[in-house]
Amino acid sequence: MSRDKKTACLEDLRRRILTQRIAPGSDLDEATLCEEYGLSRTPLREIFQRLAGEGYARIEQNRGAKVSSMDLATMRVFFQTAPLIYCNVARQAAENHLPAQLDQLHKIQEEFRAANAEGDAEAASFLNHGFHQQMGLMARNPYLLVALNRMLIDHTRLSQTFYRPSSEDGTRRVESSVAQHDAMLEAMARRDGDSMVTLTMDHWNLTRDQLERYVMPDPLPLGSELVEMGA
């Protein structure tokens, strides 16, 4: 089986999961995907194993593969843990990066800026994913990198609406996100770990309330609505 064919399938499934075109908790149906990608079951199962190892999916005995869920328990841990991981990665990236790695981060940022200017929400979310993934490589800490990559899967899935602003405030937040990346690059160049931690917390706080809307998208019922529900 062609490695390129398998790689294309793997990359496409990652993208579909991150954009929620394949919803969290959904079955990954072997027969359908074999036909869609022109693969036999053996290489597709190898791809499922790879996705499971990376945190995109889970494999259940006698039930096949499913996309990793985003239930309330998972999201609670995500919001508790994300700032800890991001801040530690940011500090170590500032202190440990190689010059060539910083050059690559600049390239990703220019593409991120262009995608936002063009209103390409899907590209912007992927390039933001790539920006923070590159920071993980720059930290040169294999333990943090594993945690970061898993965290970014859920963060990117949650952030799909952030890059599709429906208000002036939303547009300003996206613009601020681009500017914060620029500030991070400057702090990286100075190898200023303290500034990177501060900038990372500002960056997290900029998007946190938008991400939380995935978990609680509607106001809780009040007053007469609670009575009608038997509260």
Side-chain angles (χ1 to χ4, degrees):
M1 178 60 60
S2 167
R3 176 178 293 272
D4 287 345
K5 202 170 187 179
K6 286 176 61 177
T7 300
C9 174
L10 175 63
E11 292 177 351
D12 193 52
L13 286 175
R14 285 186 187 130
R15 191 176 192 94
R16 291 169 67 182
I17 291 169
L18 290 174
T19 56
Q20 296 203 50
R21 290 203 294 269
I22 303 179
S26 296
D27 292 324
L28 292 172
D29 184 74
E30 280 190 14
T32 300
L33 293 173
C34 282
E35 182 176 355
E36 183 175 348
Y37 290 103
L39 295 171
S40 63
R41 289 182 181 267
T42 297
L44 186 64
R45 287 173 182 172
E46 292 171 358
I47 289 168
F48 288 169
Q49 291 287 347
R50 178 76 177 272
L51 291 171
E54 294 172 350
Y56 288 86
R58 67 182 190 276
I59 297 175
E60 300 179 351
Q61 189 172 5
N62 301 322
R63 298 185 64 181
K66 289 180 175 289
V67 175
S68 295
S69 66
M70 294 174 69
D71 55 36
L72 289 176
T74 300
M75 291 296 93
R76 178 180 175 83
V77 174
F78 170 83
F79 284 106
Q80 290 173 335
T81 309
L84 302 176
I85 299 297
Y86 292 144
C87 286
N88 279 284
V89 166
R91 179 183 292 279
Q92 294 192 26
E95 296 171 351
N96 299 333
H97 70 268
L98 302 174
Q101 292 176 317
L102 184 58
D103 291 343
Q104 180 61 27
L105 194 65
H106 274 282
K107 292 177 182 177
I108 295 170
Q109 171 65 355
E110 289 309 308
E111 293 177 9
F112 177 67
R113 187 195 315 281
N116 281 299
E118 294 167 4
D120 188 339
E122 183 172 309
S125 71
F126 271 91
L127 288 162
N128 181 68
H129 184 108
F131 185 92
H132 292 284
Q133 194 170 52
Q134 177 66 11
M135 283 177 56
L137 295 172
M138 295 165 75
R140 301 169 69 190
N141 182 324
Y143 302 102
L144 276 177
L145 184 60
V146 171
L148 174 70
N149 285 339
R150 179 62 188 89
M151 193 75 61
L152 284 173
I153 293 170
D154 288 346
H155 197 147
T156 302
R157 290 194 286 182
L158 287 169
S159 69
Q160 292 304 303
T161 56
F162 179 81
Y163 294 104
R164 294 179 173 86
S166 57
S167 66
E168 290 184 7
D169 178 65
T171 300
R172 284 193 295 269
R173 285 173 182 263
V174 172
E175 292 169 350
S176 294
S177 179
V178 176
Q180 287 174 343
H181 280 194
D182 288 333
M184 288 178 183
L185 285 164
E186 293 173 4
M188 286 275 192
R190 300 192 306 270
R191 296 191 181 273
D192 186 344
D194 289 341
S195 291
M196 280 299 298
V197 170
T198 300
L199 287 165
T200 297
M201 281 306 303
D202 289 344
H203 197 53
W204 167 252
N205 289 329
L206 178 71
T207 60
R208 183 182 58 190
D209 64 333
Q210 299 293 312
L211 302 182
E212 287 173 346
R213 291 182 185 179
Y214 177 90
V215 182
M216 294 186 297
D218 300 310
L220 292 174
L222 299 174
S224 61
E225 292 177 335
L226 284 172
V227 173
E228 292 172 4
M229 292 172 66

